[in-house]
Amino acid sequence: MAGYLVSDERKVTTHRFIEMKQKGEKISMLTSYDYTTAGIVDRAGIDGILVGDSASNVMAGNSTTLPMTVDQMIYHARSVVRGVKRALVVCDMPFGSYQTGVHDGVVNAIRIMKESGCDAVKIEGGVEILDTVKAILDAGIPVMAHLGLTPQSINKFGTYAVRAKEEREAAKLLSDAKALSEAGCFAVTLEKVPAALAEQVTKEISVPTIGIGAGGKCDGQILVVADMLGMNQGFSPRFLRRYADLNTVMTDAIGQYVTDVKSGDFPNEGESY
């Protein structure tokens, strides 16, 4: 393992996420949607991998996450699981897989776990879906909650702007986080909320908070892997730090390949049988 700041090669579990919060150790997470990328991310020492319904945008080119199906999420999650040895693998429950009621939520969560081999599921929403969350937990399935900007509700919000800036919505988010934590969720994702609110939530619940656009006081951070590697050049929110420019690297490499094929330089005698 490359393990840049990671010496512990044990499999990461939901229990270890909570232990990391208790010890003050920050939690690192990225998304992945395929075997090859997941293997690279895992070997670099990441703590958790989210198989996000953001695959709808990143992999399929859709404008929202809504088109993703349970079958598609299982396909991506199964591919990721095959490439991972250490990281905790969490799979998003896509739009429509739990909004129709407790029974559907449990059935679909069980399908995702059984057919993908992932370690946990993530579900968007607060107390409105608490009964479903509890039922999934009662089925023995770990749940990561997701509050703040919840992309599956984009048609309700009408914008991807920062959430919970107003006192009423902030109070509800804090209440939701406490309820989900007390119900047994092992972590809470906070997306695009004010840093001060995220810090308050982090202090007041016993399970780790994983931030994306929620400031530096969360217990951990997550980014979309294609964004932080600079593969996607058209998305530049304030919270995104690009750690590479793979768009340029890949374009240059492919352009050189095209040139070599056109000129007859590739393949040469050493690359032929």
Side-chain angles (χ1 to χ4, degrees), residues 36-146:
T36 301
T37 304
I40 295 169
V41 170
D42 186 54
R43 289 190 296 274
I46 207 77
D47 298 310
I49 292 176
L50 173 66
V51 185
D53 57 3
S54 48
S56 179
N57 312 93
V58 177
M59 304 298 289
N62 295 313
S63 60
T64 72
T65 63
L66 273 61
M68 291 302 288
T69 67
V70 171
D71 286 342
Q72 289 170 327
M73 291 307 304
I74 289 171
Y75 168 81
H76 286 292
R78 185 188 296 136
S79 301
V80 167
V81 168
R82 290 189 183 121
V84 171
K85 293 183 178 179
R86 177 182 178 272
L88 180 81
V89 179
V90 182
C91 182
D92 264 334
M93 294 193 67
F95 180 71
S97 65
Y98 59 91
Q99 288 91 345
T100 50
V102 173
H103 178 265
D104 286 348
V106 174
V107 168
N108 285 316
I110 289 172
R111 270 202 67 201
I112 289 169
M113 295 293 288
K114 283 177 64 72
E115 297 180 32
S116 75
C118 68
D119 301 308
V121 298
K122 182 167 75 62
I123 185 168
E124 295 183 8
V127 293
E128 301 83 4
I129 60 161
L130 192 58
D131 288 343
T132 299
V133 168
K134 288 179 177 178
I136 294 172
L137 289 165
D138 286 344
I141 299 172
V143 175
M144 175 182 280
H146 184 150

Side-chain angles (χ1 to χ4, degrees), residues 143-224:
V143 175
M144 175 182 280
H146 184 150
L147 298 172
L149 176 63
T150 48
Q152 291 178 17
S153 301
I154 184 56
N155 289 328
K156 174 183 176 182
F157 294 146
T159 176
Y160 287 105
V162 175
R163 304 300 309 174
K165 291 191 293 184
E166 303 298 327
E167 185 176 343
R168 182 176 179 181
E169 187 179 357
K172 183 183 185 308
L173 187 146
L174 178 59
S175 176
D176 285 345
K178 289 179 177 179
L180 290 160
S181 171
E182 291 166 3
C185 291
F186 73 91
V188 178
T189 297
L190 299 175
E191 181 169 359
K192 288 193 81 171
V193 301
L197 174 60
E199 181 178 7
Q200 182 182 5
V201 173
T202 301
K203 289 178 177 178
E204 295 191 21
I205 66 174
S206 60
V207 301
T209 57
I210 308 297
I212 177 168
K217 300 299 184 180
C218 293
D219 297 300
Q221 299 291 331
I222 184 167
L223 288 174
V224 171

Side-chain angles (χ1 to χ4, degrees), residues 231-243:
M231 297 173 72
N232 179 2
Q233 296 289 297
F235 182 65
S236 300
R238 180 188 300 184
F239 64 79
L240 174 61
R241 180 182 297 182
R242 285 200 171 90
Y243 285 81

